[in-house]
Amino acid sequence: MAKELVAMLLAGGQGSRLYALTQKLAKPAVPFGGKYRIIDFPLSNCVNSGIDTVGILTQYQPLVLNEYIGNGQPWDLDRLYGGVHVLPPYQKASGSDWYKGTANAIYQNISFIERYDPEYVIILSGDQICKQDYSDFLKFHKEKGAEFSVAVMEVPWDEASRFGLMVTDETDRITEFQEKPKEPKSNLASMGIYIFNWDILKKYLIEDEADPNSENDFGNNIIPNLLRDNRKMYAYRFSGYWKDVGTISSLWEANMEVLDPEHSGINLFDEDWKIYSRNSGMTGHFVGENALVENSMITDGCKINGTVKHSILFSGVVVEEGALVEDAVIMGKTVIKSGAVVKHCIVAEKAEIGENAVVGETPADGGVGEVATIASHVKIGANAKIGPNAMVYEDVKEGEEQW
Amino acid sequence: MVNSKAEALGIIFPNSYDSLVPELVTERLMASIPFAGRYRMCDFLISSMVHCGIDNISLIVRKNYHSLMDHLGSGREWDLTRKKGGLNIVPPFAQKSVKVYEGRIEALESIKNFLKRQNEKYVVMCDANIAVNFDFNALINAHMESGADVTIVYREQEIPEVFKRPNGTVSDLYYSFDVCDGRIKKVYINSKQSGTINFGMNIFVLEREKLIQLVEEAYMHGLSYFTRDILCPQVDTLNIQGYKYDGYVAHIHDMKSYFEENMKLLKEENLQALFEGNQIYTKIRDDNPTRYINGSNAKNVLIADGCVIEGEVENSILFRGVHVGKGAKVKNCVLMQDTVIEANASVEYVITDKNVKVSEGKSLTGNDSFQVYVAKNQTV
């Protein structure tokens, strides 16, 4: 039985601009929004859109991601036929290769896709926070009789030159592709989400692989080649919330936007479009007698005896009495000791902030500014001070300062 | 069996003591009563069994078991989707004269053929009216070492008030014991003695073949109750050992104790005592984290995921998906799943069942000795 649409999720990226957060895990496995990881968004979108076959292409630090995905059950992707499959590079009779680029990663898994004999393939990216109905995108693709469609967002004209832009005619047909141009002719930015007719995709992947000068990349090679051949290419306009969380500041900002769904547009409380995740299994969170919690998101297993303002706490975070957490993203099982002041920062999992230590600082102008970042398992000693620019990979001793 | 730590199968009686909390069991049974913010009563003993390597667990249900089946599903969340054993919900088997079982003996008789086919050497049996993080391996080891025919778990405590009321309508049986050098010398039925006694927790371990033999004999004589009709008369001929448990136990025997046992978990040491052992599994709802909106105020509360807090919450337990509106006040309450307290409403000493709505500006007040209970799906 053929599948109409198979999803291929690019999750091999290192996410090098997340520095301390991606030392030991791939970018899609980075925790987000209190109880999720970034990859929960595309996976939940798939299952909510009726896609039941997903290949996840992994390469960089896959251990956490592999364990997290498991059999795919939390996303209802444990299926007899289809379901979720983690696809690392593997050895073949003709040799073996790492994934050389996004297109090469799909090329190396042509045989995986062929098992399902799909009509269409959707290429997804594992580093975006977005709730999107891919079935609506597919409907558009079919209605246009397209061979290739790309999801695009309208961006402000003055920012357009930072993006890959699709220039379209009045029927949304793509006439030109501009990669980060100085003089943009369009403000439709590519979201890196593509639907291909499988026969077309396969043909271009094989051609691209045969070209020794190719970078094997969708944006740089496949799309320009499709344009060259005057293929039927269309831009699908998406207008919901979308955020590339590839940098520390954008990740922090996206987390903060979760706290204000009324204005920011990212609503995790949507019963009709749930975001699924693997559960921590901890008991409910506890807020103590002298605690103060304001405008925050708190999940299972947290114990709050201090003050938490405008922050996101992941499962099992402990905030001791007298500690202050403000504008912060505190990941699972981190302990904030009494008297510590933790502001405007991201603290990764299982870290410990010592007594009276100070981490981060609210920028004077109230903007995003610099976001102090502390890697997982790091211990910050008592009375230590971590400046707003700091990127802390290793333990900081008692009383020391790091900027 | 190579993989199993325990050589035992588990049997749970999910309807035991239903009659003590009639309000809570109109649409469910004891085992599926919500407890501690995100759990159901049966989660505790099932999880305890699973952590001790007991992965063949039968629940012999009597009535009102839809909510239990919905909660347990295939047993996946408890790691009980096994090819051998796993989770087994046994509904009453319609016979010519349909009669729902009265006591454990009839219940066990109904699964006798199943029991005969199993391979585990031992059987552990328990009810679901207690929440406890129990070490079944320690119990089974003690049973093996003592060479007992049956080992019963007891706790040193007073007899709960509800059982001692002079004109009480309690139809359920409870037991207390005289224990001498570990052996149970005498079994008291529905004693009203005051002071600390050895109160039976209705957790038993015995060999499977012994159980089948005892049940077969008793059933032929038309007997119903395992402790009253089998153990009590044979206390001299059977070697019945007592196993004292002094860990944390939450025991539900009336509405008041339901309220108090929930409230006790607001004390950190109690919460820890119940949860610090093995993880307690439960059904997953995929709620988002709980959101505190500007103007909220929370003090001394245990709150599950999926809640939205805009008002004031104090000394309370909130289950998953509760909404406390702007200006609303919640004090000393247990609010079950998806309760909505609308703006400016106020509730104090109230237990709301699932999906209850307290409308805008309305107020509802009980007191520390009697809590107002609002039944499932009601709007105040």
Side-chain angles (χ1 to χ4, degrees):
Chain A
M1 195 180 64
K3 298 272 182 194
E4 186 181 28
L5 177 64
V6 166
M8 298 297 276
L9 176 51
L10 299 165
Q14 179 181 353
S16 55
R17 287 174 303 154
L18 289 175
Y19 305 98
L21 300 179
T22 48
Q23 289 297 294
K24 297 202 182 84
L25 75 175
K27 180 153 72 165
V30 168
F32 180 84
K35 63 184 291 191
Y36 309 97
R37 292 181 189 267
I38 295 171
I39 198 166
D40 289 331
F41 288 80
L43 283 181
S44 301
N45 287 340
C46 278
V47 75
N48 288 336
S49 304
I51 301 173
D52 64 6
T53 308
V54 184
I56 301 181
L57 301 140
T58 61
Q59 176 153 289
Y60 174 80
Q61 288 282 17
L63 283 184
V64 174
L65 196 57
N66 285 349
E67 189 190 13
Y68 187 69
I69 300 299
N71 67 349
Q73 178 271 318
W75 304 270
D76 214 7
L77 286 171
D78 51 333
R79 302 292 171 105
L80 288 180
Y81 178 57
V84 68
H85 296 265
V86 177
L87 305 169
Y90 59 95
Q91 198 173 20
K92 301 151 196 87
S94 57
S96 59
D97 249 325
W98 292 106
Y99 293 148
K100 290 178 284 180
T102 51
N104 177 254
I106 307 293
Y107 171 81
Q108 290 200 37
N109 287 288
I110 285 178
S111 54
F112 168 80
I113 299 172
E114 301 249 275
R115 293 165 67 90
Y116 301 103
D117 188 23
E119 258 177 89
Y120 309 100
V121 172
I122 183 165
I123 310 287
L124 302 169
S125 135
D127 53 6
Q128 301 173 353
I129 301 301
C130 178
K131 294 196 300 184
Q132 188 180 3
D133 185 351
Y134 304 140
S135 66
D136 190 60
F137 185 12
L138 180 65
K139 197 168 136 230
F140 168 90
H141 181 85
K142 288 197 242 176
E143 277 170 5
K144 292 288 181 188
E147 291 168 311
F148 163 90
S149 305
V150 54
V152 295
M153 285 277 292
E154 265 183 55
V155 295
W157 278 98
D158 56 337
E159 288 179 29
S161 56
R162 287 174 34 221
F163 296 91
L165 302 173
M166 298 293 162
V167 185
T168 59
D169 67 13
E170 64 284 357
T171 65
D172 290 329
R173 184 159 178 166
I174 299 166
T175 54
E176 194 182 338
F177 172 60
Q178 294 184 300
E179 178 68 27
K180 295 181 184 148
K182 284 209 180 73
E183 285 172 23
K185 289 192 213 164
S186 157
N187 68 338
L188 297 176
S190 165
M191 295 165 64
I193 300 176
Y194 317 116
I195 292 182
F196 284 91
N197 291 359
W198 171 230
D199 52 350
I200 298 290
L201 175 60
K202 190 176 159 190
K203 174 173 152 36
Y204 278 81
L205 287 175
I206 292 169
E207 278 178 24
D208 177 66
E209 189 61 20
D211 176 2
N213 298 319
S214 172
E215 294 165 47
N216 309 117
D217 183 82
F218 277 103
N220 293 337
N221 308 104
I222 302 286
I223 296 175
N225 289 349
L226 289 163
L227 265 170
R228 176 199 65 202
D229 297 348
N230 206 19
R231 290 285 171 189
K232 284 179 261 174
M233 302 166 71
Y234 286 86
Y236 167 77
R237 290 162 194 257
F238 177 75
S239 55
Y241 180 90
W242 177 73
K243 192 128 196 160
D244 182 325
V245 287
T247 64
I248 293 283
S249 54
S250 67
L251 179 65
W252 177 86
E253 201 178 9
N255 270 290
M256 292 298 120
E257 283 169 348
V258 167
L259 291 174
D260 187 19
E262 286 79 7
H263 300 101
S264 67
I266 174 82
N267 183 8
L268 301 181
F269 285 69
D270 188 349
E271 279 296 310
D272 298 327
W273 204 267
K274 267 195 177 184
I275 304 301
Y276 300 100
S277 66
R278 200 171 276 280
N279 207 277
S280 75
M282 290 176 163
T283 184
H285 69 266
F286 177 75
V287 179
E289 197 79 50
N290 300 315
L292 179 66
V293 180
E294 276 179 7
N295 199 13
S296 293
M297 291 232 308
I298 303 202
T299 187
D300 288 342
C302 291
K303 287 201 167 62
I304 318 291
N305 284 304
T307 300
V308 179
K309 292 179 176 176
H310 198 250
S311 294
I312 294 205
L313 272 50
F314 289 67
S315 58
V317 168
V318 176
V319 179
E320 292 187 357
E321 196 157 338
L324 168 66
V325 176
E326 192 171 352
D327 301 328
V329 178
I330 313 287
M331 294 180 186
K333 295 191 178 162
T334 283
V335 178
I336 316 281
K337 297 270 192 185
S338 70
V341 176
V342 177
K343 284 186 175 177
H344 203 86
C345 61
I346 299 179
V347 183
E349 296 160 289
K350 295 178 190 162
E352 186 184 299
I353 312 296
E355 283 176 26
N356 302 315
V358 176
V359 176
E361 195 176 289
T362 310
D365 63 0
V368 177
E370 297 296 339
V371 179
T373 306
I374 293 178
S376 61
H377 295 94
V378 164
K379 281 194 169 60
I380 306 294
N383 301 307
K385 197 163 179 342
I386 308 298
N389 289 321
M391 182 69 60
V392 183
Y393 294 86
E394 281 166 7
D395 291 0
V396 175
K397 290 204 186 78
E398 201 176 318
E400 280 187 1
E401 295 195 4
Q402 194 163 331
W403 294 88
Chain B
M1 288 227 289
V2 181
N3 292 323
S4 176
K5 280 183 278 175
E7 258 193 276
L9 63 88
I11 297 174
I12 296 175
F13 302 93
N15 288 89
S16 295
Y17 299 106
D18 273 0
S19 65
L20 297 178
V21 280
E23 303 93 327
L24 294 174
V25 297
T26 50
E27 289 185 48
R28 58 169 81 86
L29 37 55
M30 181 59 89
S32 64
I33 291 177
F35 183 68
R38 61 191 291 271
Y39 303 93
R40 305 279 187 145
M41 288 303 290
C42 63
D43 292 338
F44 293 86
L45 282 162
I46 295 178
S47 302
S48 296
M49 286 182 179
V50 169
H51 286 297
C52 293
I54 299 173
D55 59 5
N56 178 2
I57 300 177
S58 299
L59 291 96
I60 314 180
V61 295
R62 186 159 59 176
K63 57 176 191 173
N64 285 12
Y65 49 86
H66 287 183
S67 68
L68 184 71
M69 295 185 71
D70 173 57
H71 179 67
L72 294 173
S74 63
R76 190 181 57 218
E77 276 105 342
W78 297 263
D79 203 19
L80 285 173
T81 40
R82 300 273 78 91
K83 294 209 169 185
K84 281 180 77 174
L87 183 78
N88 180 19
I89 298 177
V90 192
F93 194 82
Q95 288 169 330
K96 258 185 219 150
S97 56
V98 181
K99 181 176 168 291
V100 173
Y101 73 81
E102 192 60 38
R104 281 180 227 280
I105 292 173
E106 292 139 322
L108 290 165
E109 171 69 21
S110 75
I111 62 161
K112 194 177 72 189
N113 290 329
F114 164 80
L115 287 174
K116 283 182 175 168
R117 287 197 310 271
Q118 304 310 300
N119 298 312
E120 286 85 351
K121 186 164 183 205
Y122 298 98
V123 176
V124 294
M125 302 193 290
C126 59
D127 295 334
N129 63 326
I130 48 175
V132 54
N133 209 326
F134 193 82
D135 184 351
F136 282 98
N137 283 335
L139 170 65
I140 294 166
N141 287 340
H143 175 77
M144 283 159 73
E145 269 168 34
S146 70
D149 292 311
V150 183
T151 301
I152 304 184
V153 182
Y154 68 89
R155 220 177 144 226
E156 287 181 348
Q157 63 168 79
E158 291 193 18
I159 292 170
E161 280 305 311
V162 62
F163 291 133
K164 292 201 282 192
R165 271 181 220 144
N167 300 316
T169 51
V170 173
S171 57
D172 282 290
L173 301 171
Y174 61 91
Y175 305 95
S176 50
F177 313 112
D178 275 347
V179 185
C180 178
D181 285 337
R183 183 160 173 183
I184 289 178
K185 291 290 185 193
K186 190 163 169 49
V187 178
Y188 299 93
I189 304 171
N190 291 14
S191 155
K192 294 199 190 305
Q193 198 184 329
S194 55
T196 304
I197 47 107
N198 299 321
F199 190 77
M201 283 169 69
N202 291 339
I203 299 178
F204 309 89
V205 57
L206 70 168
E207 281 186 24
R208 182 174 51 87
E209 304 212 328
K210 184 81 189 170
L211 177 68
I212 294 169
Q213 178 216 324
L214 289 173
V215 166
E216 235 165 19
E217 279 169 17
Y219 186 72
M220 273 189 296
H221 290 92
L223 303 174
S224 285
Y225 298 101
F226 185 75
T227 311
R228 188 190 74 181
D229 301 336
I230 294 181
L231 300 185
C232 213
Q234 301 187 68
V235 77
D236 295 324
T237 49
L238 283 173
N239 178 1
I240 306 172
Q241 292 284 319
Y243 176 88
K244 189 169 92 171
Y245 183 73
D246 43 24
Y248 189 87
V249 179
H251 184 184
I252 309 299
H253 42 73
D254 59 355
M255 277 309 267
K256 188 159 170 278
S257 64
Y258 175 76
F259 179 77
E260 284 167 356
E261 291 293 1
N262 269 294
M263 284 298 168
K264 268 165 79 178
L265 297 175
L266 290 174
K267 284 219 163 37
E268 201 170 340
E269 63 268 26
N270 293 336
L271 190 69
Q272 246 182 14
L274 185 54
F275 289 100
E276 80 182 343
N278 289 312
Q279 186 183 335
I280 304 300
Y281 302 121
T282 190
K283 185 180 176 184
I284 288 174
R285 255 182 57 150
D286 291 299
D287 286 290
N288 41 270
T290 283
R291 190 166 158 225
Y292 291 85
I293 294 180
N294 265 344
S296 68
N297 189 355
K299 300 265 182 241
N300 199 32
V301 288
L302 180 66
I303 299 186
D305 270 0
C307 298
V308 179
I309 316 290
E310 297 185 76
E312 279 177 43
V313 191
E314 197 181 338
N315 297 333
S316 296
I317 311 275
L318 271 55
F319 285 69
R320 294 186 274 201
V322 170
H323 191 130
V324 179
K326 241 189 173 58
K329 283 193 172 68
V330 175
K331 204 173 169 188
N332 300 314
C333 289
V334 175
L335 307 181
M336 291 189 213
Q337 302 93 296
D338 302 312
T339 291
V340 178
I341 308 294
E342 289 190 343
N344 301 315
S346 134
V347 282
E348 190 170 352
Y349 287 110
V350 168
I351 301 171
T352 61
D353 210 308
K354 273 177 81 172
N355 285 322
V356 162
K357 187 165 102 179
V358 178
S359 309
E360 192 168 341
K362 293 283 184 285
S363 101
L364 210 54
T365 312
N367 59 49
D368 60 347
S369 60
F370 187 86
Q371 293 78 38
V372 175
Y373 167 78
V374 186
K376 196 169 163 181
N377 300 328
Q378 300 295 310
T379 298
V380 178

